[in-house]
Amino acid sequence: MIRFILGGARSGKSRHGEQLALLSPYPVSVVATAQIWDDEMRERITRHQQTRPANWQTLEVPHNLGDGIMKYSQENTCLLVDCLTLWVTNELLRYDIEKENDQLTAHWQQQKQQFLLALKQAPGDIILVSNEVGTGIVPMGAINRRFVDETGWLHQAIAEIADEVYWVVAGLPQRIK
């Protein structure tokens, strides 16, 4: 079972993912993609950790998410992946878009395909949380536009294979698939 949750910043999407995971009859592991870059991010991560049950394992997978899913997904397990947009950011920032665009494109396409294949092959339940970034204006800057484009295309591919898709607004989850 693949559940995909989209929403804006502070929409309640992570909370909804956690609520779905609480309903799972299986042991839950949180696949965390965030990296601590500054004190503010450390505080965000701490807040998220404090809302989760103590028996949930946290697995830090900021890169190569497809490999992480294949490694940790097993029969009768539930993975809560939070969040995909941080993972996309981590992968896109591995290269300088101005100087290494071809390498970035090849790297990202490999990462994306590995991830989508892992989702299709994973034996356990997976809950994916991601920020919907395509509802605003087209951003300035090549890397920002690339991020919005790649995230949007990734979301479409996930929604196609997901069993359930949710849109969360103001803490209210709406099932759209």
Side-chain angles (χ1 to χ4, degrees), residues 114-150:
Q114 277 184 295
F115 171 72
L116 294 171
L117 183 62
L119 288 181
K120 293 175 185 175
Q121 294 178 348
D125 288 349
I126 300 177
I127 301 167
L128 304 165
V129 177
S130 196
N131 289 286
E132 177 52 65
V133 297
T135 58
I137 61 170
V138 176
M140 292 180 60
I143 191 66
N144 298 322
R145 287 188 299 276
R146 179 77 181 264
F147 170 76
V148 170
D149 291 348
E150 296 296 351

Side-chain angles (χ1 to χ4, degrees), residues 88-137:
V88 172
T89 299
N90 296 340
E91 296 300 348
L92 292 181
L93 291 180
R94 284 182 140 183
Y95 293 88
D96 182 336
I97 193 170
E98 300 295 326
K99 297 176 185 168
E100 304 170 301
N101 192 45
D102 291 342
Q103 294 98 320
L104 169 59
T105 297
H107 172 78
W108 172 246
Q109 289 308 315
Q110 178 197 26
Q111 289 296 312
K112 180 179 170 181
Q113 292 311 313
Q114 277 184 295
F115 171 72
L116 294 171
L117 183 62
L119 288 181
K120 293 175 185 175
Q121 294 178 348
D125 288 349
I126 300 177
I127 301 167
L128 304 165
V129 177
S130 196
N131 289 286
E132 177 52 65
V133 297
T135 58
I137 61 170

Side-chain angles (χ1 to χ4, degrees), residues 24-82:
S24 175
Y26 307 127
V28 176
S29 293
V30 176
V31 178
T33 61
Q35 297 183 85
I36 298 174
W37 295 104
D38 55 31
D39 289 339
E40 188 270 339
M41 185 56 110
R42 178 177 282 106
E43 289 173 20
R44 282 177 180 263
I45 291 170
T46 299
R47 252 191 323 266
H48 276 284
Q49 290 170 336
Q50 291 172 342
T51 65
R52 297 180 187 137
N55 64 326
W56 287 9
Q57 181 181 15
T58 299
L59 309 166
E60 295 186 15
V61 186
H63 296 283
N64 304 313
L65 187 54
D67 292 343
I69 287 173
M70 290 309 297
K71 180 178 180 180
Y72 297 115
S73 181
Q74 300 172 11
E75 288 279 338
N76 303 323
T77 62
C78 178
L79 296 182
L80 172 59
V81 180
D82 197 358

